[in-house]
Amino acid sequence: MKLTIIILAFIGLTVLYFIGMYNALVRLRNQVKNAWAQIDVQLKRRHDLIPNLIETVKGYMKHERETFEKITEYRAKAMAAGTVGEKAAAEGMLGQALGQLNVAVENYPDLKANQNFLALQEELTSTENKISYSRQAYNDSVLALNNKIQMFPSNIIANMFGFKQEEFFEIDIPQEREVPKVAF
Amino acid sequence: MWELIRANRRKSLVLFVMMGVILLLLGFVIGTALGGPETGYTGIIIATLIWLVMTLVGIYSGSSILLASSNAVKVERSVHPRLFNVVEEMQMSAGLKKMPEVYIIQSDALNAFATGRNPENSAIAVTAGLLAVANRDELQGVVAHEMSHIVNRDIRFMTFAGIMLGSIVLISQVFMRGMFYSSMGRYRGSSKDNGAGQLIIMAVALLFAILAPIAAQLLYFAVSRKREYLADASAVKLTRYPEGLASALEKISGSTADLESANKVTAPMYIANPLKAKGQRMRNLSSTHPPIEERIRILRALSGASYINYQETWQQVTGRNARLMPGSALAETETMAFRQKGEALIPEPAGLPFDAPAATQGSKAFKRSAGNLVMAANGFRFLDCSCGLKFKIPPGFSGKELKCSRCGTVHPL
């Protein structure tokens, strides 16, 4: 009798423990989703700002056609990207192209006096900052989820219910990753 | 972040209890002085009641009273989009669920503060003067410092400690005024048998009424000083760019304008001591903030953005061996690099409608930009005429159109 009670209590506690673990995994997965939604909002905002920016700037910057084309192309690519990895790569390129445009602005003093442009530039700067801060939050939550999925004993539950590891949002600018070519 | 909050809570509790003891002792001594040992306990009860009432008022309307008395107005996004953007950025970086309300303090002085009873009900207020002189990075540093006060729960502690200090000051003031304005004969008559003893008790009570507020104030300031360093450390962690805050503090320290609306209780809540612009250089028991030059030197000497970097640099610069934060907060081993100016981010824009980062304090451009900002905060609308004239339309203006006095163009509103 006593033994059955002990065994039942043990089983009960184990079940409770596993339920707790399952709930923790669900919570982490939702956190990742929420953090991703935050990034997505900012990326959308960036994509929305770009046509306005180009429209405002076009009249002033006659010699930057190439940069505009690049920005438009990367924007389209970024909007079409599906996975986190693809998106990160495309957004990285877009960010770089926007940076180039911004350097070029220095050569057009008239543009720097345009209120419309300045307001747009402030919005874009802020969006860039928000992307980097929300990226930080997203990567932190992905790290927490992936750790839980890999570590024992929560990995048992994770495998059982099909929790998947998520991808980090790393914006790498391709040049930085390329191995320097040495010619002899 | 959480270790800091927990350690803060522990320390606040100790300080809070110490201030509470001062409050109760004050009540007891005054009660005894007025009517003998039995009334000493009545004194405690009355002191506690005063404190309770003030706490209740403080919890529910403390921040609105503070904001109103410091001449701050709540503003819409359109008044200063950049300030809103920066607050949103820091909210994201700090992981705060709800955005603090944004206020502009109508003053030429350079300062800022945060208030509220918890992170969900908080507000950040920045002076018009600071908005006129700070560039984007500097503004971000200041807002990050204030956001740290919110996240580290400093605002809640400062509210409660401020209320406690206020109660102590109130009780001793009432007692001392009562002593000076009432005839001493009444008290002497009630204790014919031991007149000398009564006089001594009275003297002790008077002394206590003078010393209690000072002691409570020193305790209050001691904690507030340390929290300024911690908020600087957290601000660096939030922005990853210490130069922004350092250069903002430099501008603030160069300013000589006092913030007229600040007082001794509210002073510790500001980013830099608002009362004596000169007093920022001193380091003593009665200063509310650490010397501003020291804070700047620490920020400029940092080699990384994590708490352990700040702790080490703090020890080097101040020459003290003490611990600024609990060991658990320093346990993180990851190195946090700074962001480089303009790295992955777009270099800062040169100026916005009410923004003149190039303005030096006291210059004409500064006065104009700060003045416009205060007008915009109060609901004024601005209209540029093609001839270069700028209209400032007051909030109550009901006309349908406006005729330019210089070129005669009619602007529909």
Side-chain angles (χ1 to χ4, degrees):
Chain A
M1 189 61 202
K2 240 184 205 162
L3 196 70
T4 31
I5 290 176
I6 290 173
I7 291 172
L8 278 177
F10 181 75
I11 292 172
L13 282 176
T14 316
V15 168
L16 277 179
Y17 180 68
F18 277 100
I19 289 176
M21 218 136 60
Y22 175 79
N23 286 345
L25 278 165
V26 171
R27 202 172 306 122
L28 285 171
R29 192 172 57 187
N30 287 342
Q31 245 168 38
V32 170
K33 259 189 213 155
N34 180 41
W36 177 250
Q38 295 289 332
I39 297 189
D40 225 29
V41 168
Q42 299 308 326
L43 292 178
K44 279 216 178 72
R45 172 124 187 83
R46 186 200 228 177
H47 299 155
D48 292 347
L49 283 168
I50 287 172
N52 282 337
L53 180 78
I54 290 184
E55 204 51 48
T56 313
V57 158
K58 220 163 37 183
Y60 294 87
M61 302 172 84
K62 300 244 159 59
H63 310 293
E64 313 293 336
R65 181 183 294 270
E66 226 176 283
T67 318
F68 295 152
E69 277 167 5
K70 243 201 272 177
I71 290 176
T72 318
E73 184 199 325
Y74 291 141
R75 173 176 177 267
K77 259 192 199 154
M79 287 173 84
T83 68
V84 173
E86 281 170 33
K87 219 166 188 155
E91 293 292 347
M93 301 295 282
L94 181 57
Q96 205 193 15
L98 283 170
Q100 273 172 18
L101 181 71
N102 223 52
V103 172
V105 166
E106 295 301 315
N107 303 328
Y108 301 87
D110 289 355
L111 190 57
K112 290 204 302 200
N114 181 322
Q115 293 292 324
N116 216 345
F117 170 71
L118 292 176
L120 267 172
Q121 206 182 20
E122 162 62 29
E123 285 311 308
L124 207 56
T125 306
S126 183
T127 309
E128 297 292 314
N129 283 350
K130 285 170 190 165
I131 289 172
S132 74
Y133 292 128
S134 51
R135 189 161 62 98
Q136 219 165 286
Y138 171 78
N139 284 345
D140 286 350
S141 57
V142 168
L143 182 69
L145 177 70
N146 289 357
N147 278 347
K148 259 261 151 55
I149 289 177
Q150 288 170 25
M151 280 176 188
F152 182 81
S154 47
N155 62 346
I156 302 171
I157 298 286
N159 279 333
M160 221 147 77
F161 292 95
F163 282 89
K164 281 194 198 74
Q165 293 196 37
E166 295 286 342
E167 219 174 324
F168 288 100
F169 192 90
E170 305 278 13
I171 296 184
D172 277 334
I173 296 165
Q175 281 96 312
E176 285 176 4
R177 269 193 314 196
E178 265 174 32
V179 183
K181 286 184 193 103
V182 186
F184 293 102
Chain B
M1 204 66 101
W2 285 106
E3 296 81 16
L4 268 189
I5 295 170
R6 221 170 294 133
N8 265 356
R9 192 176 292 161
R10 215 168 32 237
K11 278 183 204 142
S12 335
L13 207 68
V14 172
L15 182 102
F16 208 60
V17 168
M18 279 160 85
M19 281 177 98
V21 168
I22 293 178
L23 179 85
L24 296 182
L25 264 177
L26 184 68
F28 182 77
V29 171
I30 290 177
T32 313
L34 293 180
E38 316 82 64
T39 42
Y41 296 103
T42 321
I44 290 185
I45 293 168
I46 291 174
T48 313
L49 279 178
I50 291 176
W51 169 73
L52 265 178
V53 170
M54 286 189 63
T55 305
L56 281 179
V57 173
I59 289 174
Y60 289 103
S61 46
S63 45
S64 38
I65 293 172
L66 177 67
L67 286 161
S69 70
S70 43
N71 228 346
V73 274
K74 194 174 166 187
V75 292
E76 295 295 317
R77 183 182 196 99
S78 57
V79 173
H80 204 292
R82 175 182 285 178
L83 178 60
F84 270 78
N85 277 339
V86 167
V87 173
E88 276 169 11
E89 286 161 25
M90 289 303 104
Q91 176 208 354
M92 289 186 134
S93 182
L96 206 65
K97 286 209 180 63
K98 198 165 163 260
M99 183 167 145
E101 290 178 339
V102 177
Y103 285 74
I104 289 182
I105 306 167
Q106 307 177 63
S107 165
D108 277 0
L110 310 186
N111 231 317
F113 71 83
T115 179
R117 63 173 187 274
N118 53 36
E120 286 72 43
N121 294 282
S122 55
I124 289 180
V126 183
T127 61
L130 186 61
L131 287 170
V133 295
N135 64 28
R136 197 174 207 287
D137 284 331
E138 288 162 352
L139 186 61
Q140 198 186 43
V142 169
V143 169
H145 175 99
E146 299 310 332
M147 195 63 87
S148 308
H149 277 315
I150 292 174
V151 177
N152 293 346
R153 309 295 193 274
D154 293 344
I155 49 166
R156 183 174 59 188
F157 167 75
M158 288 319 252
T159 306
F160 281 103
I163 291 166
M164 187 82 99
L165 176 61
S167 312
I168 292 171
V169 171
L170 180 77
I171 293 169
S172 42
Q173 286 287 326
V174 166
F175 173 68
M176 285 203 286
R177 300 241 164 125
M179 293 295 338
F180 287 122
Y181 294 123
S182 73
S183 65
M184 291 293 280
R186 191 154 58 89
Y187 302 107
R188 220 175 291 144
S190 68
S191 53
K192 266 175 223 147
D193 33 335
N194 57 346
Q198 181 67 23
L199 219 67
I200 291 170
I201 291 173
M202 214 53 153
V204 168
L206 210 62
L207 192 70
F208 208 83
I210 295 168
L211 290 181
I214 298 174
Q217 221 168 56
L218 292 184
L219 280 175
Y220 181 57
F221 291 169
V223 173
S224 117
R225 278 198 302 274
K226 205 162 183 191
R227 280 171 189 243
E228 290 306 316
Y229 286 124
L230 291 182
D232 282 355
S234 305
V236 171
K237 217 174 158 181
L238 292 183
T239 60
R240 307 275 163 97
Y241 189 63
E243 181 52 31
L245 181 57
S247 114
L249 286 175
E250 204 163 49
K251 281 188 179 169
I252 291 171
S253 76
S255 145
T256 45
D258 263 5
L259 191 58
E260 313 78 20
S261 53
N263 61 46
K264 271 195 168 172
V265 175
T266 59
M269 295 172 188
Y270 288 87
I271 188 168
N273 187 2
L275 292 178
K276 292 165 279 174
K278 296 276 179 305
Q280 291 166 349
R281 279 156 192 85
M282 296 188 308
R283 184 222 307 267
N284 58 33
L285 284 178
S286 67
S287 47
T288 54
H289 290 70
I292 205 160
E293 277 82 6
E294 200 172 275
R295 289 167 65 189
I296 298 171
R297 247 183 308 157
I298 295 171
L299 289 168
R300 293 236 158 103
L302 284 174
S303 60
S306 60
Y307 285 137
I308 191 137
N309 288 121
Y310 195 90
Q311 162 90 48
E312 280 166 2
T313 317
W314 179 80
Q315 285 175 343
Q316 277 162 20
V317 170
T318 61
R320 276 178 276 184
N321 221 353
R323 265 210 169 155
L324 191 60
M325 23 196 138
S328 51
L330 305 174
E332 53 195 23
T333 46
E334 54 165 334
T335 46
M336 286 191 204
F338 295 140
R339 77 176 159 85
Q340 296 301 306
K341 195 174 168 59
E343 176 212 358
L345 306 165
I346 288 185
E348 82 180 45
L352 282 166
F354 307 112
D355 197 63
T360 40
Q361 215 203 358
S363 71
K364 238 184 210 165
F366 167 78
K367 286 255 150 60
R368 196 185 319 122
S369 151
N372 281 351
L373 199 53
V374 168
M375 286 178 132
N378 282 303
F380 275 75
R381 278 176 298 161
F382 294 80
L383 186 71
D384 287 313
C385 182
S386 49
C387 70
L389 207 62
K390 192 168 191 158
F391 295 103
K392 292 164 186 173
I393 308 160
F397 188 76
S398 55
K400 292 263 184 299
E401 54 184 35
L402 203 69
K403 196 174 172 213
C404 177
S405 54
R406 194 196 286 171
C407 64
T409 322
V410 175
H411 299 278
L413 292 177

